[in-house]
Amino acid sequence: MPRWARGWPEALKARAARYALQRWLGPFLEEPLRLEQLGLDLRGGTGTLRELRLRAAAVDELLAGAGAPLELREGGVGAVTVTVPWAALGTEPVRLRLCRLRLVLRPRE
């Protein structure tokens, strides 16, 4: 666990994480993140977001910018779990796991 997070109450950690995630991911989500969607275990190095609906236009803008031949019509993620190896940060990989990824794509016109 990072030093700055030690001693913080769990509720404060969850709210701080939600705020940061909303700032970074918010433009790509249909609705704001709720605390119930966030599972956080900083000591164990994991964080999970559940039941995310993607804002198709925002994600599709990224796809178009990358030259993707497909456009996103709608999408969602059942769960995203990130595992950060605090003790070996920089030598061990940060892991990202997606569950129940659903994308409705069509050829770009």
Side-chain angles (χ1 to χ4, degrees):
M1 176 182 1
R3 283 187 205 132
W4 58 263
R6 291 185 186 132
W8 285 21
E10 292 303 313
L12 185 57
K13 290 177 193 175
R15 288 181 189 279
R18 181 188 62 179
Y19 174 80
L21 290 166
Q22 181 63 43
R23 270 194 75 151
W24 297 326
L25 300 176
F28 305 103
L29 301 176
E30 280 290 329
E31 39 197 46
L33 289 173
R34 298 181 317 275
L35 285 174
E36 305 84 53
Q37 290 174 283
L38 177 62
L40 194 59
D41 176 13
L42 286 179
R43 190 174 307 273
T46 62
T48 301
L49 292 172
R50 290 178 215 69
E51 304 306 322
L52 304 174
R53 287 184 29 224
L54 300 176
R55 182 176 290 153
V59 176
D60 187 54
E61 195 174 308
L62 288 176
L63 291 173
L70 301 171
E71 70 177 280
L72 181 68
R73 303 301 294 158
E74 69 178 79
V77 181
V80 178
T81 301
V82 177
T83 305
V84 180
W86 296 121
L89 201 56
T91 58
E92 292 289 321
V94 173
R95 300 193 187 281
L96 179 73
R97 181 177 179 198
L98 295 171
C99 296
R100 298 181 319 276
L101 175 65
R102 183 183 52 81
L103 302 174
V104 177
L105 301 162
R106 74 175 187 190
R108 190 171 300 284
E109 294 180 9

